[in-house]
């Protein structure tokens, strides 16, 4: 499915599935309110997850962007939604 045709919930589910696959963990164990640390995601694993998301969703994270801060899984979901939103659309 084209990410632009997905609902926000479908996008979130797909992102969580990609995270689960990268970490070899059941996606159902993730809670978007958890910090990345609480979710058991190390900084190295986060980099691997970001690369996987870029590759599979056709997006590019802006690592030099000052406000690019990922503290919780919800932050990551929100950033993916923002990157997938059509230009001029609010995520």
């Amino acid at each position: 499915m084209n990410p632009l045709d997905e609902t926000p919930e479908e996008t979130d589910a797909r992102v969580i599935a990609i995270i689960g696959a990268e970490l070899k963990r059941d996606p159902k164990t993730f809670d978007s309110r958890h910090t990345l640390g609480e979710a058991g995601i190390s900084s190295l694993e986060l980099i691997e997850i970001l690369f996987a998301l870029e590759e599979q969703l056709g997006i590019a994270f802006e690592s030099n962007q000052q406000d690019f801060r990922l503290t919780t899984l919800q932050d990551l979901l929100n950033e993916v939604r923002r990157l997938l939103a059509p230009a001029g659309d609010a995520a």
Side-chain angles (χ1 to χ4, degrees), residues 39 47 49 52-53 56 64 67-68 70:
I47 292 168
I49 289 166
L53 290 169
Q56 293 183 42
N64 61 349
D67 61 358
F68 182 72
L70 300 177

Side-chain angles (χ1 to χ4, degrees), residues 9-31:
E9 294 77 17
E10 290 169 330
T11 299
D12 290 355
R14 188 190 326 203
V15 170
I16 295 294
I18 292 169
I19 293 170
E22 283 298 307
L23 299 178
K24 296 174 180 47
R25 290 179 35 206
D26 182 352
K28 294 176 187 169
T29 64
F30 296 108
D31 184 325

Side-chain angles (χ1 to χ4, degrees), residues 68-79:
F68 182 72
R69 294 194 187 15
L70 300 177
T71 303
T72 65
L73 287 174
Q74 189 61 56
D75 293 338
L76 179 56
L77 297 173
N78 292 342
E79 184 65 9

